[in-house]
Amino acid sequence: MDDSRQTLSPQAAASASEQPPFWEFRLYAQVLIDEIALIQHVLAAPTAVTRQAPRFKDTTAWMSAQLDALDRLVEAATNYFNSSHDDAFGAPGEAGSVEADIRFARQMAAYYRQALEWRHVVQQADLDPVYRQCADEMAVFADAVLRPLEAHGPSILRQCDAAVALPPGSPISFDFSVEFAPIDNARFHAATVAAGEALRHRRR
């Protein structure tokens, strides 16, 4: 047995061993839920993140680099999620793989952790006060990754429960998608405009 099973929660372990209807989906969802809960607990206090302190003249370049990093994270998570996962769920008419299912869920949780760490880096950066609001508004962009992944597992479990409750022979479909929300940068843009005005007043 793969070591990945050793740290499963009782709910996930039951799906892996008992393999009830739609167990592949249930296992994936429960592992994702469990991993996200663990990450939230471990990273509840952002003290584990090294506090960055860009030089004043480098602050805008630092913010740009952080935004690029988040863009790469979203792209990586999207590409991974949209790639084939027949090894986890099985080809049509075939059973999935417990170990591959667990790996898939834990990799999606790893993207969640990266997004949460990214937010902590931005929130905890030691910046000149003129840029503080910019960073605070930028940190909210992490929600584009965090919120969809937080909702993903519970949505799948609800759909599994609903499918089991259907009369025999009923058509069944699952919405397994994850859509990382587009970033609304209006407040961030307003903060950067305000920072520019503040800098102009400072130089007078």
Side-chain angles (χ1 to χ4, degrees):
M1 182 169 60
D2 192 285
D3 289 343
S4 63
R5 299 195 190 198
Q6 301 300 318
T7 55
L8 294 179
S9 69
Q11 298 94 324
S15 291
S17 61
E18 299 170 14
Q19 298 192 353
F22 315 115
W23 69 265
E24 294 97 337
F25 296 106
R26 289 186 181 277
L27 177 59
Y28 167 85
Q30 190 62 57
V31 171
L32 180 60
I33 290 169
D34 295 339
E35 292 290 317
I36 286 176
L38 178 62
I39 291 165
Q40 290 173 334
H41 175 72
V42 171
L43 297 182
T47 53
V49 178
T50 301
R51 191 174 191 187
Q52 298 188 12
R55 293 179 298 179
F56 177 78
K57 68 183 184 67
D58 296 332
T59 304
T60 56
W62 177 86
M63 289 193 295
S64 179
Q66 298 308 312
L67 291 172
D68 288 344
L70 183 62
D71 285 343
R72 290 193 298 272
L73 171 58
V74 171
E75 182 179 10
T78 300
N79 290 341
Y80 177 75
F81 182 82
N82 290 333
S83 62
S84 173
H85 295 286
D86 284 349
D87 57 340
F89 299 112
E94 299 179 4
S97 162
V98 169
E99 283 70 31
D101 210 340
I102 295 170
R103 284 196 301 272
F104 180 20
R106 286 181 172 164
Q107 180 56 55
M108 293 308 297
Y111 290 124
Y112 181 91
R113 181 181 186 122
Q114 291 173 39
L116 194 55
E117 290 175 337
W118 180 91
R119 186 170 72 182
H120 287 340
V121 166
V122 173
Q123 287 176 328
Q124 297 299 309
D126 185 6
L127 305 177
D128 184 279
V130 76
Y131 288 115
R132 186 67 261 161
Q133 187 64 32
C134 296
D136 289 343
E137 296 298 343
M138 187 168 71
V140 177
F141 294 169
D143 286 347
V145 176
L146 300 175
R147 300 298 170 253
L149 288 177
E150 289 169 356
H152 185 44
S155 172
I156 294 171
L157 291 185
R158 287 194 298 271
Q159 292 180 75
C160 288
D161 290 341
V164 169
L166 289 172
S170 298
I172 297 172
S173 63
F174 284 93
D175 179 6
F176 192 75
S177 62
V178 170
E179 183 177 351
F180 297 118
I183 291 174
D184 181 358
N185 65 359
R187 291 173 62 92
F188 173 70
H189 177 70
T192 59
V193 171
E197 289 294 327
L199 287 173
R200 280 190 286 275
H201 283 296
R202 182 185 290 183
R203 294 189 185 109
R204 290 176 181 174

